[in-house]
Amino acid sequence: MAASIAPAQSCPAAPTALVLAGGGAKGFAHIGVIEMLDSLKLRPDLIVGTSSGAIIGALYASGYSGTQIDSITRALPMDQVIKQYEPQVSKALGLLRPTAVWELTAAGYAIQSGAAHEGELNALMSALFLRGNVMARGNFDQLPIPFRAVATDLRTHAPVVLGTGDLARAIRASAAIPVILRPIQLDGRWLTDGGIAENEPVKSARALGAQRVWVSRLPYAPPSPSSYEDPLQIMADMLNSLFEQDSLVTRPTDVVIRNGTENYDNLVFSRTAQDSLVDIGRRAARAAFAHATCLHPAGTVNPARAEATLAGRITQVTVAPQQRDSSGLQSIVDGAAILADLGQTDGSALDLRKLERGLLQIGRMDRYREVWLNPSGTADTVALHATLAGASLRSLGVGVAFDQFSSGRLWIGAVDRALFKGNADAALLVKLGTYQQEAWGFVRRRALVDDRFLPLTLSARIMHESVRLFSGATELPSIDARALSGTLGFHEDLAVGQWRYDAGLEFRIFRETYHTARGALGLRASITRAANEYELGTVGELLVLNDYQRLHIESSNSWMRGNVQTTLRVAAGWGNNLPTYQTFSLGGNEGFAGYRIGEFRGSQELFASVLLRRPITNLLKIRAEFMAGVIARGYGVLTNEPGTEYGAWRGGLRTGVEAQTPIGPIRAEEGFSLTGQRSTLIRVGYWF
């Protein structure tokens, strides 16, 4: 191939720009184009990108090869931070999945878009472009290849070409897909996706002095009449229609690379799609450059600049004072805590790995929606002038679920991120159901303890439960339990893939039917790790009170093989002198095959299950879960009581179908135990 383009390099040199179009996930095709440029040893004098083209272009301009960009983008959890409608109140409430969320704005409470986790996404952008940001130090001409990102002014709909400031912020503005991502405020203007004004920014490239352009296009397919009855597809088509599909005016020496992306969704970031799109870009670029008549850039770039500009010493690290967010409400910026998370101090050597970890840590907090570093300095020094924008100060969410054993359940949760003038945050969660009602809340502040900021928390919980009891096929009278508890200690919000802890001093006052009130004081500690946004991977809880003790551990893990998802779940529990409402129910909230949920209770539990799920249509999945477990009571460990079912192992199978709906899955399953019992489970929504 290199020999075949040799004649095209005999023409006079001229400033040449690589122009990368916008198109969401379709932009993976640009990676294949860059890989082909690398193999041909071609290097443009300028890169101009819009939206996803700006993302890939900025990585290339920062000195990464096409192969490196492919590896970097594969590691990004884009499918976790950009989704279909999945609103979120706060991780402070745990892994509850709301049906709807409202956020406080200047105009009152507005429904949350729920399509992206803004704080995590913006921190991810800052971490992703950290290398280039430090090299640019506020001027994108200082990158190994000069770079420009194109955004759209929301007021005028005119293109805005960004070449200075924080690199990550400029890219985020260029890629602010309408409805999916919030616009970015920059230099007094509100900026959104550049595709609205100039999706293929050839005009901007020529205005910057490019005499030749290599254009990587991402075509869209016209809407299909067969999809007009699908509301979600109609919304996608309307979103695509917002982007300017430019009519290119080309010159004989330009190269137009037409990637075959018509049949790809611009919001599907799967590895399968990436593999296919990178290959499409590689093949399209090979064909386009093979027919090029002139390939001779001016050669003004300096590839050696990449390593030379990474070394540096921190001269200053600052966090901007409190600022106002888009709603006009006061944003909350805890400067000292943010500086501690960034891990950089005046006079220290620049540590990109530590800085990247700090950015991602800040992004996992619900308190902040944006964090930008705004680096400046020379080749030997770096100053960081961090600016942050707070998340919505207050959020309110609701969720519902139902099954035929426990009837309906409703939860209402709220968070306030500006309690006591911003020095603390608070949360309140109320759960209502036929057999159980509870309210839980906390007030928390990050306190400095031995040079570390710890989440000092005061929490309280009040609950009532009608504990159902069974004897064979007969349901016995329920036991009413009421409890009030409080904890002083530390509480961390859950985060996907991260270990989190709760620990503190706890007191409890509780009373059950046929018993007098009891009080208890002691220690409570837990550790959790979320497998994804709505499922716990591992949870362990230890309660050591003077009146009773309780230990519970549960873990699950899922993996895919072909189109079959397998989930392994195990649970173990042990208690001493437990009140009835604290005893273990075999299988937990999921119950056990062939039995009613909560039918077996005891002070010791051991349980394991293997769940297989396989799609049979776009709507339905078939499920089969194999279970084994044992419940025991009294002292000892899993003691077998002759003549009873306590301490005896049992097994079973539950199988059926599930369908996904806007309020969660609908499940219909039949359960069979090895001892002949049989029961049906119908459940709607995500149980809690």
Side-chain angles (χ1 to χ4, degrees):
M1 181 69 180
S4 67
I5 67 167
Q9 295 178 307
S10 61
C11 60
T16 302
L18 174 64
V19 177
L20 303 176
K26 296 172 185 277
F28 287 135
H30 295 320
I31 299 174
V33 172
I34 293 170
E35 288 182 350
M36 184 52 58
L37 289 176
D38 292 340
S39 69
L40 297 175
K41 295 182 172 52
L42 291 173
R43 201 170 182 87
D45 303 298
L46 171 70
I47 299 171
V48 184
T50 292
S51 196
S52 60
I55 293 173
I56 302 301
L59 291 171
Y60 184 38
S62 300
Y64 292 109
S65 68
T67 301
Q68 289 173 321
I69 296 171
D70 192 22
S71 298
I72 291 169
T73 53
R74 286 179 190 281
L76 297 178
M78 295 302 293
D79 56 341
Q80 294 181 18
V81 295
I82 298 181
K83 303 182 177 184
Q84 304 239 349
Y85 183 67
E86 291 187 7
Q88 185 180 64
V89 183
S90 170
K91 296 185 185 68
L93 300 180
L95 298 184
L96 293 171
R97 177 165 180 164
T99 304
V101 173
W102 293 265
E103 294 182 331
L104 182 61
T105 70
Y109 281 93
I111 196 163
Q112 186 187 89
S113 72
H117 299 163
E118 288 279 348
E120 291 184 54
L121 176 63
N122 293 333
L124 181 66
M125 297 288 277
S126 283
L128 178 63
F129 297 105
L130 182 57
R131 169 188 168 115
N133 215 358
V134 169
M135 285 191 289
R137 287 168 168 82
N139 182 355
F140 304 170
D141 283 337
Q142 295 188 141
L143 292 168
I145 304 176
F147 170 76
R148 297 292 186 273
V150 177
T152 299
D153 187 320
L154 265 177
R155 186 177 64 84
T156 65
H157 289 188
V160 178
V161 180
L162 303 172
T164 59
D166 186 279
L167 179 63
R169 194 178 192 181
I171 304 306
R172 172 62 179 78
S174 177
I177 303 172
V179 181
I180 305 298
L181 300 176
R182 294 173 183 262
I184 293 292
Q185 188 175 23
L186 188 60
D187 298 331
R189 295 178 294 193
W190 284 99
L191 304 180
T192 191
D193 197 291
I196 294 175
E198 195 178 12
N199 199 50
E200 296 169 337
V202 172
K203 293 177 184 177
S204 293
R206 296 203 196 280
L208 291 166
Q211 297 178 18
R212 299 173 188 148
V213 293
W214 303 336
V215 190
S216 180
R217 309 189 74 183
L218 303 174
Y220 286 80
S224 169
S226 63
S227 67
Y228 288 165
E229 295 186 7
D230 184 344
L232 293 178
Q233 187 59 49
I234 291 175
M235 288 183 61
D237 291 338
M238 292 179 66
L239 181 61
N240 292 341
S241 70
L242 294 176
F243 299 132
E244 180 67 27
Q245 302 301 317
D246 308 288
S247 298
L248 289 183
V249 178
T250 61
R251 301 171 183 175
T253 54
D254 293 339
V255 177
V256 178
I257 305 161
R258 191 182 189 283
N259 301 291
T261 58
E262 291 87 347
N263 296 323
Y264 288 83
D265 193 314
N266 59 351
L267 290 180
V268 175
F269 295 90
S270 67
R271 290 191 176 185
T272 301
Q274 178 167 350
D275 288 340
S276 181
L277 286 162
V278 170
D279 185 60
I280 284 173
R282 194 183 298 116
R283 288 187 281 109
R286 181 184 296 113
F289 284 111
H291 294 90
T293 60
C294 183
L295 296 173
H296 196 173
T300 58
V301 301
N302 180 14
R305 185 182 293 141
E307 297 303 325
T309 55
L310 275 176
R313 183 162 294 278
I314 301 289
T315 59
Q316 185 182 26
V317 186
T318 62
V319 176
Q322 293 184 351
Q323 53 184 294
R324 293 189 177 274
D325 65 8
S326 60
S327 67
L329 300 170
Q330 190 71 35
S331 296
I332 307 305
V333 177
D334 190 341
I338 292 299
L339 289 176
D341 287 328
L342 292 177
Q344 309 293 297
T345 58
D346 296 356
S348 66
L350 177 65
D351 188 334
L352 290 182
R353 288 180 178 268
K354 182 184 290 187
L355 191 53
E356 180 180 317
R357 288 195 298 269
L359 287 167
L360 296 176
Q361 172 66 24
I362 295 169
R364 285 189 285 266
M365 300 178 187
D366 287 326
R367 290 169 64 89
Y368 308 107
R369 189 176 68 241
E370 298 176 21
V371 52
W372 313 114
L373 294 178
N374 302 298
S376 63
T378 66
D380 298 323
T381 64
V382 182
L384 304 177
H385 311 283
T387 58
L388 299 99
S392 175
L393 300 187
R394 297 180 182 90
S395 299
L396 172 70
V398 297
V400 295
F402 170 86
D403 75 25
Q404 89 277 22
F405 288 119
S406 304
S407 191
R409 286 181 65 78
L410 165 73
W411 68 263
I412 303 171
V415 296
D416 186 329
R417 302 181 178 93
L419 202 63
F420 305 137
K421 298 182 179 180
N423 290 322
D425 62 329
L428 176 65
L429 177 63
V430 177
K431 296 180 180 180
L432 303 174
T434 303
Y435 299 101
Q436 185 179 22
Q437 307 86 41
E438 68 174 297
W440 168 77
F442 71 75
V443 177
R444 174 179 58 188
R445 191 184 192 284
R446 299 181 75 192
L448 183 62
V449 179
D450 290 335
D451 298 325
R452 291 184 60 197
F453 283 89
L454 299 177
L456 182 63
T457 307
L458 176 64
S459 66
R461 185 187 307 265
I462 185 170
M463 61 80 63
H464 167 262
E465 181 177 358
S466 295
V467 184
R468 301 174 71 183
L469 301 176
F470 301 89
S471 177
T474 303
E475 182 168 359
L476 305 175
S478 299
I479 289 181
D480 273 351
R482 292 174 173 82
L484 171 67
S485 63
T487 306
L488 176 62
F490 304 102
H491 168 72
E492 283 193 313
D493 294 348
L494 289 172
V496 175
Q498 302 288 320
W499 289 101
R500 289 293 184 261
Y501 69 89
D502 279 5
L505 179 67
E506 175 146 337
F507 81 90
R508 294 192 177 195
I509 301 174
F510 55 95
R511 184 180 185 278
E512 294 184 327
T513 305
Y514 312 123
H515 294 85
T516 59
R518 297 160 63 182
L521 178 68
L523 299 175
R524 178 184 177 275
S526 68
I527 185 169
T528 55
R529 186 176 189 274
N532 55 53
E533 293 293 333
Y534 304 107
E535 294 179 347
L536 284 173
T538 302
V539 56
E541 182 182 48
L542 174 64
L543 191 62
V544 180
L545 305 177
N546 64 304
D547 189 86
Y548 68 90
Q549 299 79 46
R550 188 177 192 271
L551 172 65
H552 181 248
I553 300 172
E554 185 170 344
S555 182
S556 66
N557 187 38
S558 297
W559 62 92
M560 294 291 297
R561 184 165 185 174
N563 60 353
V564 176
Q565 181 186 45
T566 302
T567 300
L568 173 64
R569 182 165 64 100
V570 295
W574 176 88
N576 175 45
N577 199 31
L578 295 178
T580 305
Y581 81 98
Q582 285 277 269
T583 55
F584 302 102
S585 171
L586 186 60
N589 286 333
E590 288 291 309
F592 195 87
Y595 297 93
R596 292 162 291 189
I597 294 176
E599 185 165 346
F600 289 103
R601 285 182 171 273
S603 57
Q604 300 141 47
E605 176 197 17
L606 189 59
F607 171 86
S609 75
V610 177
L611 169 64
L612 305 176
R613 299 198 304 171
R614 181 182 186 278
I616 52 178
T617 70
N618 290 337
L619 177 65
L620 294 176
K621 291 181 180 178
I622 189 170
R623 301 168 52 101
E625 186 170 13
F626 302 88
M627 304 180 183
V630 57
I631 283 285
R633 62 185 180 182
Y635 297 99
V637 178
L638 302 179
T639 304
N640 190 1
E641 297 182 34
T644 74
E645 295 184 288
Y646 291 98
W649 281 87
R650 49 177 54 87
L653 167 66
R654 182 188 287 160
T655 184
V657 296
E658 71 174 73
Q660 193 65 37
T661 73
I663 62 171
I666 296 178
R667 293 165 50 187
E669 301 174 80
E670 193 73 13
F672 309 88
S673 74
L674 293 181
T675 52
Q677 289 83 357
R678 179 174 176 174
S679 68
T680 301
L681 173 64
I682 298 175
R683 176 168 284 180
V684 179
Y686 293 92
W687 199 253
F688 53 91

